[in-house]
Amino acid sequence: MTTVTESGRDAERPGAAGRGAADDERLRRWRMVLGADSAESTGCTLTGRDAAMDGALNALYGGGGRPGSRGGSERSAGLGASAPSVARWLGDIRTYFPSSVVQVMQRDAIDRLGLSALLLEPEMLEAVEADVHLVGTLLSLNKAMPETTKETARAVVRKVVDDLEKRLATRTRATLTGALDRSAKINRPRHHDIDWGRTIRANLKNYLLLPGGDGAGTVVPERLIGYGRAAQAVKKDVILCIDQSGSMAASVVYASVFGAVLASMRTLRTRLVVFDTAVVDLTEQLDDPVDVLFGTQLGGGTDINRALAYCQSQITRPADTVVVLISDLYEGGIRDEMLKRVAAMKASGVQFVTLLALSDEGAPAYDREHAAALGVLGAPAFACTPDLFPEVMAAALEKRQLPIPDKETHQ
C-alpha cells in the first residue's frame, strides 16, 4: 500500500506548484466550460470576474436555486420567477459576455426555463438585449401583455426593426432598382442605356465572318435592346404571403421589414398578407413595420390554401406579379387545392417564390412532401437568409433562375 503525503497529493493534482502559466490558463478555461462539478477534478478555484461569470452561467445551465448569486464554487443555479432577480442576471450577462453570446443565453433562458411570462414585466424588457428572437417572443405574448408593458415592448421592437432597416434597406433598394431597370426593355436606347448582353443574344442570327480566313467574326446589331429607366419602368406587383404560425416568428419579423422597404419603392406595388387559419391583409400598415408586427398573431394553425386564394384574388397583372410564400408548408387546409392554385398562378405568368424560412437560423423543419410537389410545379422551396433575399427578389422580378443557396435543402 502506498501512502501519499499531503504535499505529494498536491504535487500530483493539476493545480500543483510548478505548473506553467499556459497550463493554469488552460485549466481555468476548462473549469469555466465544465462548471462547478469539475472544480475538484481541475483543482482550479475561480475568483473575481471569473467567479461572477461562472455564477451567471450556472444560474442558467446548472439547475435549481435562483439568479443573482455571484459565488464561485458554490454557484447558486437556476433562474427563479422573480423579475428583479432575473433582470439583475440579464445585466450580469451583458457585463460579462459579448452581445452575440448574450442573445443566445437569453433565448436559452426563455426556452429552457419558461421565462416568457417575465417578459411581460417592464423592468425585464428594459434589461434584455433586443434581437429578432426576442421580438418574436414578444409578439407571441402580445395579446396577454398588460397595458403598462406594451409601450416598453413597442420600444424594444422599434429598436430591432430600425437596426434591421439600416442593415437591409439600402442594398435591397439598390438591387431591386437595378433589376427593375433591366427587366424593362427599350428598343431605341441611347448608347449608355444599351443592354449589350441582350442585344448580342437578340442579334446572333446576324453573325458575319470577317475577311482573312482566321474564323473571326462580328455580330451586326440590327436591333438594340436597352435598360428601362427607373422612373419610366413598368411597375411590378409583389405579394408577400407570410405564415404566422409560431415556428415562423423570425421570418415574420424579417418579412415585415422587407415589406416596408419594398413598399417604399415607387416602382413596386407591394401587398403584405399574414395567415394562420385566417387571412389578414396588413398592406395599409406597411409604412410602419412595427405596426405590421403588432398586427400579427403568432401561433395557431395553418391554412395555406385559404391564404393563396386571397392572394390570387388580388392579382390583376399576372405577368408583372411576384408572389412570395413564406411558410414551412405544414398545411392544415386542402392540400390539392393549394397546389392547384400555385399551378394556376404560374400558368397565368405569375412568378411564384416559396421560402421555407426568411431568417439566419439555418435549415428549417418543413413538410418535405409539399416542398417536393411545389418543386414539380416549378416553384422550388428553399430557406433564404435576409442577406440573400434581395437577390432572390431581383431574380424573380427579372424572371430568371432563382439563386437557391443549397440545392440539397429543398425539393
Side-chain angles (χ1 to χ4, degrees), residues 145-338:
M145 197 174 292
E147 291 299 323
T148 55
T149 307
K150 284 189 176 180
E151 286 306 311
T152 305
R154 286 185 72 90
V156 171
V157 173
R158 173 75 62 190
K159 179 180 184 301
V160 174
V161 166
D162 288 347
D163 289 345
L164 289 177
E165 281 194 293
K166 289 177 184 177
R167 176 164 73 90
L168 301 171
T170 300
R171 179 167 169 265
T172 299
R173 291 192 186 100
T175 301
L176 298 191
T177 297
L180 288 165
D181 286 352
R182 290 188 293 272
S183 67
K185 296 184 289 185
I186 55 177
N187 294 321
R188 298 183 63 184
R190 289 176 290 186
H191 184 270
H192 61 274
D193 285 332
I194 296 174
D195 182 341
W196 288 108
R198 285 179 172 171
T199 295
I200 291 172
R201 287 194 296 273
N203 290 278
L204 286 176
K205 62 183 179 181
N206 301 322
Y207 182 81
L208 298 177
L209 290 173
L210 296 175
D214 58 357
T218 186
V219 172
V220 179
E222 290 183 353
R223 182 165 68 93
L224 298 177
I225 299 175
Y227 299 126
R229 292 184 172 273
Q232 302 170 347
V234 177
K235 283 186 176 181
K236 297 283 187 178
D237 296 338
V238 175
I239 301 177
L240 300 177
C241 185
I242 308 166
D243 183 344
Q244 62 175 352
S245 58
S247 60
M248 301 296 293
S251 298
V252 171
V253 176
Y254 281 114
S256 297
V257 172
F258 277 117
V261 173
L262 298 182
S264 71
M265 300 178 63
R266 295 181 179 179
T267 48
L268 292 175
R269 183 166 55 201
T270 304
R271 183 173 295 278
L272 188 143
V273 176
V274 298
F275 68 93
D276 41 35
T277 53
V279 180
V280 180
D281 192 327
L282 297 175
T283 303
E284 295 300 320
Q285 284 80 47
L286 270 177
D287 59 332
D288 188 345
V290 175
D291 286 342
V292 170
L293 288 170
F294 277 94
T296 64
Q297 184 173 343
L298 294 177
T302 307
D303 193 337
I304 302 172
N305 177 55
R306 176 177 290 187
L308 291 182
Y310 177 79
C311 294
Q312 195 174 19
S313 72
Q314 301 301 307
I315 296 172
T316 57
R317 303 185 304 153
D320 293 316
T321 299
V322 177
V323 174
V324 183
L325 172 64
I326 304 175
S327 173
D328 54 17
L329 302 179
Y330 288 111
E331 171 65 319
I334 306 173
R335 175 186 184 275
D336 291 343
E337 287 294 321
M338 175 190 76

Side-chain angles (χ1 to χ4, degrees), residues 6-21 23-24 27 43:
E6 187 65 28
S7 59
R9 186 180 299 111
D10 287 343
E12 293 176 1
R13 286 196 328 196
R19 187 176 62 203
D23 292 332
D24 287 341
L27 285 173

Side-chain angles (χ1 to χ4, degrees), residues 21 37 92 114 123 139 212 238 258 341 352 382:
D37 293 341
D92 286 347
E123 62 267 31
L139 296 179
V238 175
F258 277 117
R341 291 189 191 283
F352 195 93
F382 58 97

Side-chain angles (χ1 to χ4, degrees), residues 34-56:
L34 297 174
D37 293 341
S38 68
E40 180 67 25
S41 61
T42 61
C44 180
T45 300
L46 300 178
T47 59
R49 185 181 177 88
D50 285 348
M53 292 174 65
D54 192 50

